[in-house]
Amino acid sequence: MNITAKTKICMVIGDPVEHSLSPRMHNAGYEALHIDGHYVYVGCHVDVNHIEDFVKGIRAMGIRGVSCTLPHKLAVMPYLDEIDDIAQKIGAVNTIVNENGKLIGSNTDWLGILEPLQQVTDLPGKRVAVLGAGGAARAAAYAVTSQHANLMIFNRTKEKAEKLASEFDGKAYALDDYEAIKSADIIINTTSVGLKNENETPLPKKYIIKNHIVFDVVYSAHPTQIITDAKEKEAKTITGIEMLLHQGFAQFNLFTGHDAPKDAMRKALV
Ligand code: ATR
């Protein structure tokens, strides 16, 4: 262990936070680059009611970088010095960087969606079905429209789909409009269906075809039902671990100034 009084602290905050894999991922990156004496990454349980005090603590202690999970992604926003344009558009901050006392909020979640997709397909002109209309759906909507894909939002509460679609120039549908989902090239699940109950899926298997790319951004230890079904249909699949890794690679760069050692960080998670 190389930690000294000069070591800079980075952390993930959440409520709960104990399940987070981010400390493992970032610390593996520091070790791989031999900068584990310069940076250490921990988890911190922050009650969202104490978020203003926590932000004061970032300044008081000179904490270098903070990764935010829900609900802190929204709650920190009023207390930062600057929020970059992308985080403003997505409406959430998952990354805080402390630049000599100035706290800058940004968002790397959209890169966690964009980069794994770009590894398997070209996005311009593709039809993308985003299932859900919450925070993760906003990051997905930003990611795919930034590459001129055609956005389709499907949600149980259709009014929310309509609101999100109007902001990102997409089309809104009910979540059970399965034929419309089937007509897409890419399906991105951002709903929490499948997270609590492993056997549940937002899309019946018969509507998945071999040509689909199916991305479940929800991270879970076991493959979710929609991923299992897509694999059985021989569709291309991308799991939530890819989102976690790619948003983390971008954060690593913002916190340390180094390119993320991707293999080492990936190895720490699998
Ligand atoms: P996040 O920010 O992580 O995306 P969220 O804002 O709570 O989380 O959004 C959860 C999404 O999952 C919403 O789109 C929600 O649909 P509603 O807007 O209709 O609530 C969707 N969702 C959650 N449970 C669901 C269920 N049982 N069936 C269908 N959709 C569900």
Side-chain angles (χ1 to χ4, degrees):
M1 195 160 67
N2 294 317
I3 295 169
T4 68
K6 288 190 204 160
T7 305
K8 292 188 178 134
I9 299 171
C10 298
M11 63 175 60
V12 54
I13 59 166
D15 181 13
V17 77
E18 291 73 15
H19 65 286
S20 174
L21 297 173
S22 293
R24 194 193 280 237
M25 176 171 71
H26 284 268
N27 286 317
Y30 303 156
E31 262 180 50
L33 296 186
H34 306 292
I35 53 171
D36 47 330
H38 299 265
Y39 298 95
V40 64
Y41 189 110
V42 296
C44 199
H45 184 170
V46 176
D47 183 319
V48 74
N49 295 314
H50 291 154
I51 199 72
E52 187 176 1
D53 291 337
F54 171 75
V55 176
K56 284 183 187 159
I58 303 177
R59 295 183 212 278
M61 291 189 278
I63 291 167
R64 167 62 184 163
V66 179
S67 312
C68 306
T69 61
L70 283 170
H72 303 76
K73 286 183 192 188
L74 304 177
V76 293
M77 293 177 76
Y79 305 108
L80 304 179
D81 297 313
E82 196 179 304
I83 293 172
D84 74 17
D85 290 346
I86 294 177
Q88 302 255 19
K89 175 76 180 165
I90 294 172
V93 160
N94 81 322
T95 308
I96 304 168
V97 179
N98 182 350
E99 295 291 3
N100 302 314
K102 186 174 179 186
L103 303 188
I104 301 166
S106 58
N107 189 305
T108 66
D109 283 334
W110 69 285
L111 292 167
I113 294 169
L114 180 65
E115 290 176 359
L117 282 173
Q118 285 181 320
Q119 287 177 352
V120 295
T121 191
D122 290 324
L123 281 164
K126 292 277 158 59
R127 289 165 64 83
V128 182
V130 173
L131 315 187
R138 293 187 69 86
Y142 182 84
V144 302
T145 55
S146 75
Q147 302 301 310
H148 309 289
N150 296 314
L151 176 66
M152 306 153 82
I153 308 260
F154 297 79
N155 200 44
R156 175 177 62 181
T157 313
K158 199 174 166 205
E159 296 75 45
K160 282 203 219 163
E162 278 160 359
K163 185 169 175 294
L164 185 52
S166 72
E167 276 182 67
F168 286 91
D169 204 15
K171 264 189 91 176
Y173 303 81
L175 185 60
D176 60 3
D177 194 342
Y178 301 130
E179 287 295 344
I181 299 176
K182 190 178 174 185
S183 75
D185 302 299
I186 298 165
I187 299 165
I188 306 176
N189 177 41
T190 73
T191 72
S192 44
V193 182
L195 187 61
K196 285 168 216 140
N197 187 336
E198 275 173 31
N199 303 320
E200 277 185 29
T201 172
L203 179 63
K205 184 175 165 183
K206 67 176 177 179
Y207 296 97
I208 301 176
I209 57 171
K210 190 176 174 177
N211 289 342
H212 281 147
I213 296 168
V214 178
F215 190 168
D216 195 347
V217 304
V218 173
Y219 172 72
S220 77
H222 305 284
T224 51
Q225 190 64 45
I226 191 171
I227 290 292
T228 303
D229 291 346
K231 282 204 165 119
E232 279 176 27
K233 290 292 185 94
E234 296 175 50
K236 280 204 182 93
T237 58
I238 305 171
T239 66
I241 200 97
E242 295 303 320
M243 161 129 186
L244 178 67
L245 278 165
H246 285 266
Q247 62 80 30
F249 296 156
Q251 267 183 351
F252 188 98
N253 178 255
L254 289 169
F255 292 164
T256 69
H258 292 278
D259 285 343
K262 296 181 180 173
D263 290 344
M265 289 169 75
R266 179 180 293 278
K267 214 170 137 200
L269 294 194
V270 291

